[in-house]
Amino acid sequence: QVQLVESGGGLVQAGGSLRLSCAASGRTFNIYGMGWFRQAPGKEREFVAAVSRSGGMVYNADSVKGRFDISRDNDKKAVYLQMNSLKPEDTAVYYCAAAEYSTTRNPHDFDYWGQGTQVTVSS
C-alpha cells in the first residue's frame, strides 16, 4: 500500500506558475505509474498528466500541453507537476494518484489517491 500527500497548491494570478508536489510513503515507489488529475466544482474528475514508472514516458492532456510538466524522483518517492501560464480554467482541486505496474490516464486504473490540493487562478 502507498500513501500520497499533495502540497504546493494556492492562489495565483493568471499567467503565473505553481509547482505541485506529491510525497509517497509505504511500498516501493517505482512500481507505480503516477498521475495527476483535477476536479473543478460541478465537473467530473479529469486527467491532467501521467508519468511512467521510470519517468521515461509522460502523457499530458491536450488542455495543458505546453504549459504543464510532470516529473518524478524515485529516490525521493515524489512526483511533481510544474504548472506554467496558468489560466482561470485551471482552477480545481488537484489529485495525485498511483497505479501499480501501470502507466495510464484512466482514473479507474489508479489504485491510490491523495487528498488533493486546491489551485485557484484569478483573472
Side-chain angles (χ1 to χ4, degrees):
Q1 197 169 17
V2 64
Q3 293 77 43
L4 303 172
V5 179
E6 302 95 335
S7 61
L11 173 64
V12 63
Q13 289 188 331
S17 298
L18 281 175
R19 188 190 193 212
L20 304 183
S21 298
C22 174
S25 60
R27 292 184 60 186
T28 306
F29 182 63
N30 61 9
I31 70 171
Y32 298 100
M34 300 298 296
W36 286 96
F37 292 79
R38 66 186 182 186
Q39 187 167 20
K43 295 187 177 181
E44 293 186 354
R45 190 169 297 189
E46 66 169 344
F47 168 77
V48 175
V51 61
S52 63
R53 293 162 56 198
S54 68
M57 293 190 296
V58 298
Y59 303 94
N60 295 290
D62 289 342
S63 59
V64 305
K65 280 182 180 177
R67 300 189 299 124
F68 291 11
D69 288 309
I70 187 171
S71 61
R72 67 188 293 162
D73 186 330
N74 285 343
D75 290 336
K76 294 183 178 179
K77 295 185 179 180
V79 62
Y80 308 100
L81 186 68
Q82 178 66 44
M83 306 187 295
N84 301 321
S85 302
L86 282 160
K87 304 175 182 180
E89 51 263 44
D90 295 318
T91 295
V93 177
Y94 283 71
Y95 297 91
C96 171
E100 191 168 334
Y101 295 112
S102 179
T103 301
T104 177
R105 61 182 72 197
N106 186 337
H108 299 291
D109 293 336
F110 284 82
D111 304 294
Y112 304 101
W113 293 81
Q115 293 300 305
T117 185
Q118 176 70 47
V119 171
T120 303
V121 185
S122 63
S123 57

